[in-house]
Amino acid sequence: MAKDGPDWDGLLKWSIAHSDGTPAPRALSEEDRKWFMEAMQSQSVDVVKRMKEITLVMQTPEQVLEAQGVTSADIEDMLEELQEHVESIDMANVPLLGYLKNSHAGIRAKAAEVITTIVQNNPRSQQLVMEANGFEALLSHFASDPDITVRTKALGAISSLIRHNKPGIAAFRLANGYAALRDALGSENVRFQRKALNLIDYLLHENSSDCNVVRELGFPRIMMHLASKEDAGLREGALRGLLELAEDKTGGGSDGLGGEDEKLKQVLEERIKDIRLMSAADLGAVREERHLVDSLWNACYNEPSSLREEGFLVLPGDDDDVPPPDVASKHFEPPLRAWTANQEDNKAPDTDTDTANKEKEAEAEAEGTPLLLGFRSPA
């Protein structure tokens, strides 16, 4: 019987034949190129489809599965398959690093972006990338790639790679990563500067002793400059970093800003002046900045800022407890709330159950069922 799906044996032979170092590989014909792309796309779609199918099963009540003949062994096999898919994503780290060397800036940027997704909150993937010298490659692109988008994406990947990763943070320090962050703050790209400020804030919060390194490298003056910029995100990030330095007591002295107190006072006075002139709508948009300015003033001069005295710190509406938009409940409702609510419905004849399941499956296909690995099946 003919084998369904792409000819993976043939694809493997083709890949080996074209990666053995031969000096003049033949050009791909249009037919070969089309076959290759169809083979790759077919496999990708199959994996995504299986992940959605597994997710649908995970969201189905246990009684319904039992009624349809699904055994505990079947569930174990399904979870084992799911683990294989997840592990295959992890193992994609090492070959992916090769694309960081691509001559096309767009490909280098996309490779860094994919690495960001893979290593984020994933200790196993972080370890794999570190062992494959991925950190060094990312740091090189962050520090010196000629394309600013690549530098920005590489910085994002580094941030995800070293977050909650002590060996990664240690490697960042040893590789003089703070000097690269200082250069990033000196760029004219707002997105690049924002990402740098976010990473600085995380690193200083994790290890206050790094405040000394930051002071020695001249970060306080750079942050004061950014605190006067037009972009609100830059101002908030810079003020947050300055507050970390001002509150740090590891430097052995009261001057947490490296002799820049007078310059800081001018910057804060300018911010206070601008805030006083803002409309009500603009004041609401800079709520965090107002609090940062007041906290920084209090940390440096041991007194509340004039924003607090003049009533600009807490405005009408600031204390309203408005809940965030509910964007997740519909994903959790099927396995949690709906399972409890539908206990009586599950006792209906099998034909009704089958019809309901088909409707749910159709809805899941239409909406794109999310993969909720943190879901705990009902007992």
Side-chain angles (χ1 to χ4, degrees):
M1 183 178 356
K3 185 179 179 181
D4 294 331
D7 179 11
W8 289 107
D9 290 337
L11 179 59
L12 176 60
K13 293 177 182 178
W14 183 92
S15 300
I16 295 174
H18 287 76
S19 60
D20 60 359
T22 53
R26 69 178 178 85
L28 274 179
S29 68
E30 190 60 32
E31 183 178 357
D32 286 342
R33 187 186 305 277
K34 182 179 179 182
W35 171 83
F36 178 80
M37 294 306 297
E38 286 179 351
M40 297 300 294
Q41 291 172 4
S42 173
Q43 181 66 8
S44 298
V45 170
D46 287 344
V47 171
V48 171
K49 183 179 179 182
R50 275 302 293 155
M51 297 283 271
K52 287 185 177 181
E53 291 171 350
I54 292 172
T55 302
L56 186 62
V57 173
M58 293 172 67
Q59 293 177 322
T60 303
E62 184 177 352
Q63 293 90 335
V64 176
L65 294 176
E66 291 177 352
Q68 296 179 357
V70 178
T71 67
S72 59
D74 294 329
I75 299 296
E76 291 176 9
D77 290 342
M78 180 197 72
L79 293 176
E80 184 175 357
E81 180 185 352
L82 178 62
Q83 182 179 13
E84 290 174 359
H85 289 315
V86 173
E87 288 175 349
S88 70
I89 293 174
D90 289 344
M91 293 307 296
N93 295 332
V94 176
L96 179 62
L97 296 175
Y99 283 108
L100 293 174
K101 302 176 183 178
N102 196 278
S103 59
H104 296 279
I107 293 178
R108 296 197 303 275
K110 180 55 68 175
E113 188 174 1
V114 174
I115 292 171
T116 301
T117 302
I118 292 175
V119 302
Q120 193 167 30
N121 299 320
N122 191 326
R124 174 59 177 161
S125 291
Q126 290 174 339
Q127 180 184 356
L128 287 170
V129 171
M130 296 293 293
E131 291 175 351
N133 299 321
F135 169 78
E136 290 80 1
L138 289 168
L139 185 64
S140 175
H141 286 291
F142 161 47
S144 58
D145 195 283
D147 186 271
I148 190 64
T149 301
V150 177
R151 293 184 69 188
T152 304
K153 297 292 186 181
L155 173 55
I158 290 173
S159 180
S160 293
L161 177 62
I162 69 176
R163 207 168 279 260
H164 309 299
N165 176 8
K166 290 184 178 180
I169 293 176
F172 185 82
R173 292 197 194 99
L174 290 174
N176 205 17
Y178 276 109
L181 285 173
R182 180 186 58 189
D183 293 342
L185 294 182
S187 73
E188 295 301 322
N189 186 281
V190 172
R191 190 159 179 259
F192 194 35
Q193 292 170 317
R194 279 185 179 184
K195 283 186 176 290
L197 287 169
N198 287 337
L199 181 54
I200 292 167
D201 180 61
Y202 170 76
L203 292 171
L204 295 184
H205 187 74
E206 285 293 299
N207 192 344
S208 59
S209 64
D210 285 2
C211 289
N212 294 326
V213 177
V214 166
R215 292 189 195 97
E216 293 172 2
L217 289 173
F219 277 67
R221 180 167 286 270
I222 299 173
M223 289 179 175
M224 290 176 199
H225 174 69
L226 295 177
S228 301
K229 287 290 187 178
E230 182 177 349
D231 184 82
L234 275 184
R235 295 198 304 268
E236 289 178 5
L239 290 169
R240 200 177 298 113
L242 289 169
L243 182 59
E244 285 281 354
L245 293 174
E247 292 180 339
D248 172 58
K249 306 301 181 184
T250 63
S254 59
D255 185 6
L257 296 171
E260 300 287 352
D261 279 4
E262 285 304 314
K263 172 66 176 175
L264 175 64
K265 184 174 250 186
Q266 295 176 13
V267 170
L268 294 179
E269 287 174 344
E270 284 296 319
R271 293 310 314 139
I272 291 172
K273 179 180 177 182
D274 289 344
I275 289 171
R276 286 193 186 115
L277 298 175
M278 288 183 177
S279 65
D282 290 338
L283 285 171
V286 297
R287 178 182 179 182
E288 183 176 357
E289 182 179 353
R290 287 185 276 126
H291 285 267
L292 286 169
V293 168
D294 180 72
S295 297
L296 192 50
W297 187 282
N298 189 53
C300 292
Y301 311 114
N302 297 315
E303 62 180 15
S305 73
S306 57
L307 288 178
R308 183 181 294 273
E309 296 172 351
E310 297 172 13
F312 283 94
L313 195 61
V314 179
L315 301 176
D318 279 357
D319 294 331
D320 290 349
D321 188 16
V322 180
D326 185 2
V327 296
S329 64
K330 67 177 182 179
H331 297 322
F332 288 91
E333 185 171 355
L336 295 177
R337 291 192 290 270
W339 175 80
T340 302
N342 292 335
Q343 289 303 294
E344 293 301 323
D345 294 341
N346 289 335
K347 297 178 181 178
D350 289 346
T351 54
D352 294 339
T353 302
D354 291 342
T355 301
N357 285 336
K358 288 179 180 178
E359 291 175 355
K360 290 182 180 179
E361 184 174 352
E363 291 175 2
E365 286 290 333
E367 296 177 2
T369 307
L371 182 61
L372 301 174
L373 295 181
F375 166 62
R376 184 174 64 183
S377 301

